[in-house]
Every structure is written in structure tokens, then in C-alpha cells.
Amino acid sequence: MTTYLRADRAVFRFSGPEAHRLLNDVVTGQIPDSGEVAAAWALLSPQGKILAEGLAGHAEEALWLDVHQSVADDFFKRMRMYKLRAKVEIEDLRATHRAGFAQEAGLEGVRHTDRLGPVDLGWRVIAPVEDTTGWVQDDGVYQKERIAAGILHQGNDFPANDAFAHDIGLDILDGIDFAKGCYVGQEVVSRMKHRGTARRRPVIVSGIDAPAGSAVVAGGREAGTIGQVVDGQAVAILRLDRISDAGAATVDGKPVSLELPVWASYTFGEAGAEE
């Protein structure tokens, strides 16, 4: 089995009798307490913006989470604050463990399915540094697959405190539990769902000859910006109401093609209700 190192991911381990309750009370997703299926989640600001996001999986009597390196310090600080007197140990494993991606299940490390709703990308693997020497050091295969599937990642495609959970499709990709009780930012998430105010959504952009962060222009107006570019393709968070003709978009003055992910329940031209 080939495992590709995801060097931009930071790993944290939550253990103790109240670890599951703590996470379930703070982040958007339904945190698993068993099995090999990982759950997508986001830690939000009170205003509903994404501060950190990743996958959470249960193994070895603990919960294993990964976040982008750019937000790891802030995530660790906030979770220790939310912990208060809860019986939870939060371990920062950046110095000792690495996260990787595998297309098939294997025996090495802590592994969970890298699945978001109907999108199955393979397996997330976490292992001690000394066990990762045989991993492929380039994660281009992973990035290409998740971009083709329309999956956005914080740090690669958008910065912290910039996007709402609906903007990256977490409401469709099983990254939000609408049935559980309150969590940080829950009021904003609930309002966007029930009022239908989500206007920015993930869109796959192909034929790009420009760097990440370049604007997508449709109908003479900017609709959003592209994320990480791999082989001329990226995922962008775009204003659907500004795209009346998906075949008439440009990036850096050059024509590109826009495509909705296969899992999308939204369409071009949609205008979310005003707040």
C-alpha cells in the first residue's frame, strides 16, 4: 500500500472519559466513538466563520483529529480553553506523528476512511514519524483527487476566519449535525440552513493558468477566488447568483470552465435569501 505524506497537516489526540463529549459540544460534526469511519467537522467562531476544520476518528481509546498547520497553534489554544475542568487530555502530536493519505486500506498506523458524505477519497493514516520513512513525500495525488471531487481545505484554498461552513459544503458533506445541541457558531449555521442564505458554494474550476487566490470573473463581476491549483484545476468558493453562464467565466483574463461537484444540491444562478 502506498501512503502519501500530507506534510501540511497537524495531528492532535484527545483522550479521557469526557473527550467525546467535549468535541461533540464544540465542533459542528457528529464525532464518532467507534469504527474506522472518520467524521468531518469544523470549529467555528461565534460569528460562524471556520477557524479550523478536518477529520476526527476514534482509535486506541482516543479521538484523532487533523488540522492545517497554519491554524494548529490557534486550534490547540482554543481547545484547551474549552476544556476547562473536563476530564480530557489534549496532546499536540506535531513533533511525533504525521498524517498521510492512502487509496487502499492497510495495516500501518491509525487509519480512518477519508469520506465526506458521498465522497470517498480513500484513507487517512496517522503514524509515528519513525514509521513514515517509506511514505511518498509528495501529496499531489491526494490534492488532485480532492480537487476533482470539489472538496475544499482550509489553508490550501481559504484562510481561517474567512468562510462559513455552508461555503465549503459541510451541510451536504455530513460535516454538520443539525440534530445535536448547541456548539460554537451553531446559531449562524442553523439560520443559514433554515433561511436559505447560503450564496457562496464550492465550484470546480478547470483550465486555469494562474496562481491560487486569483479571481474568477463571471458576467463582468468577481464571483470569488480559486484555491490551490493542481494540473490547471482548483476549487473555488463562488457566488452562485453571479454565474448566469458557466461557460463564460475567466481567471486572469483567460477562459476557464466551471463545474459543480457531483454531490452538489445547488445550481448556478441561485440567489440565497437576504439576511
Side-chain angles (χ1 to χ4, degrees):
M1 179 190 74
T2 301
T3 303
Y4 302 87
L5 174 68
R6 297 183 61 195
D8 59 359
R9 306 304 290 182
V11 178
F12 294 88
R13 184 179 185 270
F14 290 68
S15 59
E18 297 180 341
H20 183 271
R21 181 186 62 79
L22 169 67
L23 285 166
N24 220 40
D25 286 351
V26 173
V27 303
T28 61
Q30 181 63 48
I31 302 301
D33 56 10
S34 63
E36 292 186 329
V37 177
W41 58 271
L43 175 66
L44 307 180
S45 70
Q47 294 75 34
K49 295 293 185 69
I50 298 173
L51 300 176
E53 59 83 26
L55 294 176
H58 184 276
E60 300 176 359
E61 299 184 351
L63 288 159
W64 302 74
L65 282 71
D66 67 285
V67 302
H68 194 268
Q69 290 278 6
S70 63
V71 300
D73 285 339
D74 184 64
F75 173 72
F76 190 34
K77 177 182 177 181
R78 288 177 184 274
M79 292 309 303
R80 284 184 297 174
M81 177 185 68
Y82 290 131
K83 173 181 176 289
L84 295 176
R85 296 181 178 83
K87 297 177 181 178
V88 181
E89 182 178 358
I90 305 174
E91 298 172 78
D92 180 351
L93 302 182
R94 279 178 284 180
T96 61
H97 288 69
R98 296 291 181 266
F101 163 73
Q103 293 169 310
E104 298 177 358
L107 298 177
E108 63 182 61
V110 172
R111 63 193 188 282
H112 296 95
T113 55
D114 190 337
R115 183 178 301 150
L116 296 94
V119 181
D120 188 351
L121 292 176
W123 296 80
R124 182 195 68 173
V125 182
I126 295 173
V129 173
E130 59 268 24
D131 294 341
T132 66
T133 55
W135 291 9
V136 176
Q137 300 297 298
D138 182 354
D139 70 349
V141 169
Y142 174 79
Q143 301 297 348
K144 186 174 181 178
E145 286 203 15
R146 65 100 183 161
I147 288 172
I151 303 300
L152 289 149
H153 280 335
Q154 183 184 52
N156 304 78
D157 305 307
F158 63 95
N161 208 26
D162 182 73
F164 293 104
H166 279 71
D167 292 348
I168 69 170
L170 284 185
D171 57 316
I172 305 171
L173 296 170
D174 294 342
I176 301 174
D177 182 350
F178 290 102
K180 72 176 181 179
C182 292
Y183 50 84
V184 182
Q186 184 266 347
E187 185 175 326
V188 177
V189 171
S190 180
R191 183 168 67 246
M192 292 185 73
K193 172 181 173 61
H194 294 295
R195 294 186 182 179
T197 56
R199 289 184 290 182
R200 301 200 309 163
R201 288 294 198 173
V203 175
I204 302 168
V205 185
S206 302
I208 301 168
D209 183 16
S214 299
V216 177
V217 177
R221 296 190 296 173
E222 289 191 9
T225 57
I226 59 174
Q228 179 181 5
V229 181
V230 177
D231 292 344
Q233 192 170 64
V235 189
I237 300 174
L238 300 185
R239 283 275 300 268
L240 299 175
D241 58 321
R242 294 187 177 179
I243 305 172
S244 57
D245 183 359
T250 63
V251 173
D252 198 23
K254 301 171 185 177
V256 294
S257 62
L258 305 182
E259 178 186 0
L260 297 179
V262 294
W263 49 264
S265 61
Y266 47 89
T267 61
F268 290 125
E270 279 188 1
E274 295 293 339
E275 289 283 357

